[in-house]
Amino acid sequence: MIAAFLLSAGVAQAQVLVNPTRDSATVTSAQDSVVAKPKAPEAAKAHWYDKISLRGYVQVRYNRLLESNPDLRTEYDRSVGNNGGFLIRRARLVFSGNVHERVYIYIQPDLASTPNGSSTIHFAQIRDAYADVSLDKKKEYRVRIGQSKIPYGFENMQSSQNRLTLDRGDALNTALPNERDLGVMFYWAPEHIRKRFSELANSRFKGSGDYGVFALGVYNGQTANKQEANNNQHLVARLSYPFMFKNGQIIEPGIQAYTGVYTVTSDQLSNAEVKGGNFADRRVAASFVLYPKPFGFQAEYNVGEGPTFDPATYSIKTKSLTGGYAQAMYAFKLGEQNFIPFLKVQYFEGGRKAETDARYSKVYETEIGVEWQPMPAFELATQYTITDRTNRDGRNLDNRQNGQLLRVQAQINF
């Protein structure tokens, strides 16, 4: 045995002498295989553009069914009345996302805008372009910078993608045509209430979105996509809270107000006899919402003063205004299909500051309809409108039109 051991040792020594490099590498490799740890793959570096989402919707309308008066027009839908036809009312794309843990961006162009007086339609125009900067980790305190919706009125802030009626009520929307302006807003809401706002902002509950429990802001005041025309900015404030009861029902009362100076610019005047200028522009409004679970109710009313055409003096004056609406709805399902029938009545009397000569307007209107959503990507709304509208400006001192029409809108969500 001793001889065999010595013999084997000699053979091993001879192998080392014959090829020392090979054995050294083999030994080193064996040691490495035991000692060295495999490198973990490097995590891909996150880019801000990886966090941006894209969504949107398109609305196509036809308003001429069962029309009783082709001379009846509305300020919010230019395809109502004589020579109207199919219309792409909105074609929106929304780019949004958190580019930083405390910075959220939201950019929304509309590809179907039509300037007043233009025979060419479907221009691209910015609707929203803002950033939310959170002041705390929970994002309960935010500052919104850019062009965005002004926190005045529940229906004004409610997305057209969620709203039941085809157009917003005249009474509050005349305060903020296009609902937006350029400025800086401060929003506050507790974390759990922000989650509640988010849950309500869908097609079933018809929420307005997260505009805080308390909002305070400063903005130009000439409405969206228009330059400031005076040296005064508007101030706005809003307070609202969505109360939840034990049975799951939610109500949201709110109060809001704004004040500022509005300039009726030369491009808004019908002729040289009517003079523009600066006018006081201030309102206060109350809102109440009972979310449809399944029955829902929504009402808003505002009072104030603003520029208004006065036919007696053929001039624009600061005059009082008033008006609001009430809407009842009922949400139910048949299989997987959602239905929400609704009834809305509205009244408004006052000036339309953004229209020609800040025209005087008086509106009585009733809307009866139903929204049908057979699938999340498609909705069809049918609405029968009974309306009585009086407008007075430098071109027509007493234009009263009334009538009925059936309106249909198809909406594609993506």
Side-chain angles (χ1 to χ4, degrees):
M1 290 182 61
I2 296 175
F5 174 78
L6 293 174
L7 179 60
S8 63
V11 171
Q13 186 177 15
Q15 288 177 341
V16 172
L17 292 173
V18 170
N19 195 356
T21 305
R22 176 178 177 272
D23 281 354
S24 176
T26 302
V27 172
T28 303
S29 176
Q31 291 175 342
D32 287 346
S33 66
V34 175
V35 177
K37 295 182 180 179
K39 289 185 177 180
E42 292 185 5
K45 185 178 180 181
H47 301 286
W48 65 267
Y49 46 80
D50 295 326
K51 304 175 184 178
I52 302 300
S53 65
L54 172 63
R55 61 180 177 84
Y57 65 101
V58 176
Q59 295 174 342
V60 181
R61 292 183 182 177
Y62 188 74
N63 297 300
R64 304 297 302 281
L65 298 173
L66 306 180
E67 179 183 72
S68 66
N69 180 3
D71 293 327
L72 175 66
R73 299 279 184 176
T74 70
E75 283 76 12
Y76 300 125
D77 189 335
R78 309 292 178 180
S79 68
V80 171
N82 195 33
N83 295 324
F86 288 102
L87 174 73
I88 298 178
R89 181 62 178 87
R90 294 175 178 87
R92 303 279 175 89
L93 295 174
V94 177
F95 302 87
S96 62
N98 290 287
V99 296
H100 182 272
E101 63 179 8
R102 293 197 186 182
V103 180
Y104 170 83
I105 67 165
Y106 188 101
I107 299 175
Q108 178 179 216
D110 190 339
L111 308 180
S113 297
T114 301
N116 290 344
S118 174
S119 60
T120 304
I121 60 178
H122 302 156
F123 287 84
Q125 190 178 64
I126 285 291
R127 279 293 179 262
D128 299 274
Y130 65 80
D132 276 359
V133 180
S134 298
L135 306 181
D136 65 310
K137 290 184 178 181
K138 289 186 177 181
K139 302 180 181 180
E140 296 181 336
Y141 300 85
R142 295 171 290 148
V143 175
R144 178 167 295 179
I145 305 167
Q147 180 166 293
S148 66
K149 288 185 176 180
I150 304 302
Y152 181 81
F154 178 89
E155 193 180 51
N156 277 350
M157 295 182 297
Q158 185 182 37
S159 172
S160 300
Q161 189 175 17
N162 286 346
R163 192 180 62 250
L164 281 173
T165 54
L166 299 193
D167 297 307
R168 293 178 173 89
D170 295 65
L172 275 79
N173 200 239
T174 49
L176 291 152
N178 290 319
E179 305 83 53
R180 298 161 172 86
D181 210 328
L182 185 59
V184 178
M185 305 292 149
F186 169 78
Y187 293 110
W188 169 79
E191 186 178 23
H192 70 286
I193 296 299
R194 292 201 65 194
K195 291 179 181 178
R196 186 174 300 171
F197 279 134
S198 179
E199 292 167 359
L200 292 170
N202 60 51
S203 60
R204 184 177 178 186
F205 299 129
K206 306 298 181 183
S208 65
D210 182 4
Y211 291 86
V213 169
F214 174 71
L216 180 66
V218 56
Y219 61 102
N220 280 342
Q222 290 298 122
T223 72
N225 299 313
K226 291 186 178 180
Q227 289 184 337
E228 173 64 337
N230 55 60
N231 292 319
N232 296 274
Q233 272 67 49
H234 278 53
L235 297 175
V236 64
R238 182 174 187 262
L239 183 65
S240 67
Y241 193 91
F243 295 93
M244 177 179 284
F245 296 98
K246 290 182 179 180
N247 63 358
Q249 187 66 63
I250 297 175
I251 65 168
E252 185 182 338
I255 186 169
Q256 49 264 302
Y258 76 82
T259 183
V261 174
Y262 182 84
T263 300
V264 179
T265 54
S266 58
D267 60 314
Q268 292 179 239
L269 304 177
S270 60
N271 58 67
E273 294 183 53
V274 182
K275 305 299 180 184
N278 295 338
F279 300 87
D281 179 27
R282 56 178 70 98
R283 301 191 189 193
V284 60
S287 307
F288 177 84
V289 179
L290 170 68
Y291 286 95
K293 290 188 170 187
F295 175 77
F297 181 77
Q298 188 174 313
E300 298 188 89
Y301 200 88
N302 75 167
V303 296
E305 62 178 5
T308 307
F309 182 78
D310 179 25
T313 60
Y314 204 77
S315 63
I316 300 172
K317 295 183 176 181
T318 298
K319 303 184 75 173
S320 63
L321 55 87
T322 185
Y325 71 89
Q327 175 179 292
M329 63 205 108
Y330 188 86
F332 67 93
K333 297 186 73 170
L334 291 177
E336 296 300 317
Q337 303 183 49
N338 293 305
F339 294 85
I340 307 182
F342 61 88
L343 168 66
K344 181 179 183 179
V345 293
Q346 68 157 320
Y347 163 76
F348 171 66
E349 183 174 12
R352 295 180 179 272
K353 64 184 180 184
E355 299 293 332
T356 301
D357 296 337
R359 67 168 58 99
Y360 164 86
S361 179
K362 194 173 193 177
V363 177
Y364 298 94
E365 192 164 85
T366 301
E367 297 164 305
I368 307 167
V370 60
E371 179 185 276
W372 168 48
Q373 187 181 55
M375 62 192 76
F378 180 76
E379 298 174 21
L380 186 68
T382 304
Q383 174 181 304
Y384 190 71
T385 301
I386 306 167
T387 187
D388 184 344
R389 291 173 173 263
T390 300
N391 290 315
R392 295 170 181 165
D393 58 33
R395 292 174 182 159
N396 195 328
L397 297 181
D398 192 10
N399 178 24
R400 182 178 180 183
Q401 303 291 338
N402 56 68
Q404 303 86 41
L405 63 156
L406 181 65
R407 310 174 68 191
V408 180
Q409 175 179 279
Q411 178 172 296
I412 300 91
N413 306 310
F414 55 89

